[in-house]
Amino acid sequence: MDPVPALQEPLKKVLGPATAKVMAEHLGLHTVGDLLHHYPRRYEERGQLTHLADLPMDEHVTVVAQVADARLHSFASAKAPRGKGQRLEVTITDGSGRLQLVFFGNGVHKPHKELLPGTRAMFAGKVSVFNRRLQLAHPAYELLKGDGEEAIETWAGALIPIYPATAKLESWKIGKAVQTVLPSAQEALDPLPDSLRAGRGLLPLPEALLKIHRPHTKADIADARARLKWDEAFVLQVALARRRHTDALLPAVPRVPAADGLLTAFDDRLPFTLTEGQRKVSEEIFADLAATHPMHRLLQGEVGSGKTLVALRAMLAVVDAGGQAALLAPTEVLAQQHHRSVTEMMGELAEGGMLGGAEHATKVVLLTGSMGTAARRQALLDLVTGEAGVVIGTHALIEDKVQFHDLGLVVVDEQHRFGVEQRDALRGKAHSRGEKRSPHLLVMTATPIPRTVAMTVFGDLETSVLDQLPAGRSPIATHVVPAADKPHFLSRAWERVREEVGAGHQAYVVCPRIGDEEDDPKKAGKTGSPEDEAEKRPPLAVLDVAGELGRGPLKGLKVEVLHGRMHPDDKDAVMRRFTAGETDVLVATTVIEVGVNVPNATAMVIMDADRFGVSQLHQLRGRVGRGSAPGLCLLVTEMPEAAPARARLAAVASTLDGFELSRIDLEQRREGDVLGQAQSGARSSLRVLAVIEDEEVIAQAREEAAAVVAADPELERLPGLRTALDALLDEEREQYLEKG
């Protein structure tokens, strides 16, 4: 039996079962190789300390600081009624700020002896707020000792690696474990071809691993990171290049529109001319549709830039070429809205096979889960016979019963609402003349989610951007309303809503939940700091807020509610009344997030805005300013000014650019697993590579990877690269990549 290669050795053999168990459960590290690739997050210079002034709330931090003051207090409590309770308060400083540490009960004895004024140590714990001051309760600590002048010299210059840690395992314990396995780094197989490494002046892998974990200088860290970034970018790009190589071999039916067919007839009846951007993007799409391998294109356009029109022209081009096109929408409200606007835009061209239908007409069918049996049966029949050239639907399109005659194009609206599995299931329905063929895929979005931005940077999706707003559209002003700090701002927000209604317009009020759920009795009755209160209070609910507004600040206005648990007919009736202008204010959940189009609605108030993500806020805001009157969006929050959530809201208020916002989102949330299911940081396959700042490395790696895969698709001459790919692509990611 062959000995296990050093880097595949299980950690429990090397570090002992207890430590190995914590590493596996909390950090996902199982082998020596995993631990060697668990890189330090940053480094402390012992002489130059972390800024206590910049500590993030609610995160596990490691700081290096000096004890300024330590006091032992006695107090009475239920457990120690005679005043025998003990609390040790230690103040530490680093010159930039001060932080209080607190220890209770039996836990005070050891720190009381060790943490004397002047002592330096590393402290790790979770930052919390008590009496409006930051503190660490019961932090773990490691004293930093230096003997004699020369020892202090080397000690002050040393770089201490700070590892991503957990409450169960502090950074310095991870550091000691790394020290144990570091000799194995010599046996690391290099995934980069020698010619690439030499040509770009990169360190060999074993040397890079030694330097990232035990740097002597900052230059060591920079060299190691540059090398390890290349590893990540290149191995990922090889994975994507192999998939593109396979995709290019997949057959797709080229779809070229007839010269004087449905598309021409549609263009002739448009009451306006296409913008320059719409024309350019349409040409890119038509070129892809004419190819013999499947299109994978992301159509990114600001809310109101006319994405739907561009997508409809692509669908009509496919119908012209004898195929069918499906538009997948995330909600019934949106599917119905799309169906209504598409049939209105097409007029008699959407009445194929009916009396009064035009010469080149086709049938446009709606398919949703709540349709009656007869209507549903007819829709399914129209799809399988090919009578319906265009189908618009929700997840109902993906069900097994749904069969197409010849599906040529799938358009996905708002891809952040759909999983890859769902897109893949729809794609599996395509066959042409009895053969399985991949349909072309067009994905539309206003704000790409971080993984999409990452995939775009990695060059996996071709991107078209619509950045001009059609004539007559108005900009949207966005402001943060700090309800807890400045209650009069909230009163002013309701006055603004009344002013908009007084001027003949309408408004939305959006809340995070419906309000008919059972409240959890366990959550009631606890109090804490204002930040905790804002976090722990249940999110504001549609049903409660609508009642309060109707009785209070919006009394006398016509207020209605809309949420996802209403009967589809009731939802439709509420939307029709709002669209017709019969309702002044619509209090809704995020069911209005995508596609709802009421040009007369000019104001939106989003309650508990901090509970929504960046792309969701941008998406919601796009519901106003759709007519000629300017739009107003107010983001109401009770979060204190210093909270990260406030920074996120300020970012949304500062720009209307979707790509810019998704970059902010990406920097704050990380890209998620670029190759897998996770939407954000939980299990990122990226450790040192940052998608936004390393775009150049990623682009260069894409070129190198394409050349390598073209010359050797199976990577037979590069065993180190094959091993790295196998490590990166477990089976789940491999399938995800194939479907993506």
Side-chain angles (χ1 to χ4, degrees), residues 178-421:
V178 169
Q179 196 66 40
T180 310
V181 301
L182 209 48
S184 306
Q186 293 304 336
E187 298 183 42
L189 267 180
D190 203 320
L192 295 189
D194 294 342
S195 56
L196 189 159
R197 194 168 52 73
R200 296 197 175 263
L202 299 168
L203 298 179
L205 181 58
E207 192 182 332
L209 289 171
L210 286 173
K211 284 186 170 173
I212 196 127
H213 290 295
R214 289 289 166 270
H216 294 296
T217 63
K218 287 185 173 171
D220 283 352
I221 299 170
D223 291 347
R225 286 179 68 86
R227 160 63 217 241
L228 295 166
K229 278 182 180 186
W230 256 94
D231 275 19
E232 288 186 3
F234 180 71
V235 174
L236 256 176
Q237 286 292 20
V238 166
L240 295 171
R242 288 181 77 189
R243 176 172 123 189
R244 279 194 299 272
H245 182 79
T246 316
D247 268 0
L249 305 175
L250 276 179
V253 179
R255 309 284 180 173
V256 181
D260 277 318
L262 180 56
L263 181 62
T264 311
F266 175 73
D267 285 349
D268 289 346
R269 57 168 286 134
L270 281 178
F272 49 81
T273 53
L274 299 178
T275 65
E276 186 52 45
Q278 286 171 328
R279 265 205 300 280
K280 183 175 123 309
V281 168
S282 288
E283 278 162 22
E284 291 170 353
I285 293 171
F286 292 156
D288 282 358
L289 290 174
T292 52
H293 53 87
M295 163 170 84
H296 278 156
R297 189 169 283 278
L298 173 71
L299 173 55
Q300 197 268 335
E302 278 321 311
V303 173
S305 57
K307 296 187 295 293
T308 314
L309 176 62
V310 169
L312 178 55
R313 293 185 75 238
M315 291 163 82
L316 298 181
V318 169
V319 175
D320 252 353
Q324 289 170 294
L327 170 59
L328 196 53
T331 63
E332 292 214 351
V333 168
L334 184 55
Q336 287 161 348
Q337 183 120 10
H338 271 318
H339 182 253
R340 212 173 297 146
S341 62
V342 163
T343 47
E344 277 168 16
M345 277 198 271
M346 287 176 65
E348 71 268 20
L349 296 175
E351 295 169 1
M354 298 183 223
L355 274 173
E359 180 194 349
H360 298 291
T362 186
K363 208 168 186 181
V364 179
V365 164
L366 176 69
L367 188 64
T368 64
S370 67
M371 283 169 76
T373 318
R376 188 181 171 76
R377 194 178 295 130
Q378 184 58 52
L380 292 173
L381 188 64
D382 289 340
L383 287 184
V384 78
T385 58
E387 188 84 8
V390 175
V391 58
I392 296 166
T394 54
H395 295 72
L397 281 177
I398 299 167
E399 292 169 11
D400 291 344
K401 288 200 273 299
V402 181
Q403 297 296 326
F404 290 85
H405 177 64
D406 179 9
L407 180 60
L409 170 66
V410 176
V411 179
V412 178
D413 191 15
E414 285 316 323
Q415 100 291 4
H416 65 272
R417 297 299 204 78
F418 284 103
V420 172
E421 273 74 17

Side-chain angles (χ1 to χ4, degrees), residues 350-668:
E351 295 169 1
M354 298 183 223
L355 274 173
E359 180 194 349
H360 298 291
T362 186
K363 208 168 186 181
V364 179
V365 164
L366 176 69
L367 188 64
T368 64
S370 67
M371 283 169 76
T373 318
R376 188 181 171 76
R377 194 178 295 130
Q378 184 58 52
L380 292 173
L381 188 64
D382 289 340
L383 287 184
V384 78
T385 58
E387 188 84 8
V390 175
V391 58
I392 296 166
T394 54
H395 295 72
L397 281 177
I398 299 167
E399 292 169 11
D400 291 344
K401 288 200 273 299
V402 181
Q403 297 296 326
F404 290 85
H405 177 64
D406 179 9
L407 180 60
L409 170 66
V410 176
V411 179
V412 178
D413 191 15
E414 285 316 323
Q415 100 291 4
H416 65 272
R417 297 299 204 78
F418 284 103
V420 172
E421 273 74 17
Q422 292 155 321
R423 293 207 300 255
D424 189 56
L426 193 50
R427 210 189 274 174
K429 294 181 177 296
H431 36 72
S432 179
R433 299 165 195 82
E435 291 174 55
K436 271 275 186 208
R437 297 288 174 112
S438 279
H440 300 281
L441 176 68
L442 179 65
V443 171
M444 298 197 290
T445 184
T447 46
I449 49 166
R451 181 175 177 274
T452 309
V453 178
M455 289 303 249
T456 309
V457 173
F458 277 101
D460 190 60
L461 282 165
E462 298 298 332
T463 310
S464 296
V465 181
L466 279 175
D467 46 14
Q468 298 165 277
L469 284 184
R473 274 303 173 88
S474 308
I476 304 165
T478 308
H479 303 284
V480 178
V481 177
D485 312 351
K486 299 176 177 163
H488 60 286
F489 274 39
L490 184 57
S491 311
R492 176 70 189 120
W494 300 127
E495 283 171 26
R496 284 292 292 112
V497 170
R498 292 194 84 97
E499 286 165 15
E500 288 299 311
V501 172
H505 298 301
Q506 292 159 277
Y508 297 99
V509 176
V510 181
C511 304
R513 65 189 186 104
I514 298 171
D516 55 3
E517 308 89 345
E518 293 290 314
D519 282 329
D520 185 347
K522 287 182 203 153
K523 291 180 185 163
K526 290 187 182 173
T527 57
S529 69
E531 290 87 344
D532 287 349
E533 288 309 286
E535 266 295 343
K536 288 177 186 160
R537 167 178 67 62
L540 290 171
V542 166
L543 300 176
D544 305 340
V545 169
E548 285 165 27
L549 292 177
R551 292 188 295 274
L554 302 185
K555 194 171 179 183
L557 301 186
K558 180 113 173 56
V559 178
E560 286 210 70
V561 300
L562 179 72
H563 59 76
R565 282 215 287 274
M566 289 165 64
H567 188 279
D569 292 350
D570 296 341
K571 275 194 281 200
D572 209 35
V574 169
M575 266 325 296
R576 281 177 191 278
R577 284 197 292 277
F578 190 65
T579 308
E582 294 163 25
T583 307
D584 298 322
V585 179
L586 187 62
V587 182
T589 55
T590 53
V591 291
I592 61 150
E593 179 186 347
V594 277
V596 172
N597 185 21
V598 181
N600 191 44
T602 52
M604 174 176 286
V605 181
I606 302 178
M607 307 303 290
D608 280 341
D610 48 89
R611 310 277 178 126
F612 298 99
V614 170
S615 24
Q616 226 179 0
L617 290 169
H618 182 59
Q619 203 58 56
L620 284 165
R621 161 173 70 185
R623 302 303 106 214
V624 296
R626 299 177 77 86
S628 51
L632 171 69
C633 179
L634 302 174
L635 307 174
V636 180
T637 176
E638 291 188 6
M639 283 308 206
E641 199 163 354
R646 279 284 286 275
R648 212 171 59 230
L649 297 181
V652 175
S654 69
T655 178
L656 289 171
D657 178 339
F659 252 101
E660 181 54 35
L661 281 174
S662 58
R663 280 168 179 259
I664 290 167
D665 205 8
L666 187 46
E667 277 155 22
Q668 289 185 349

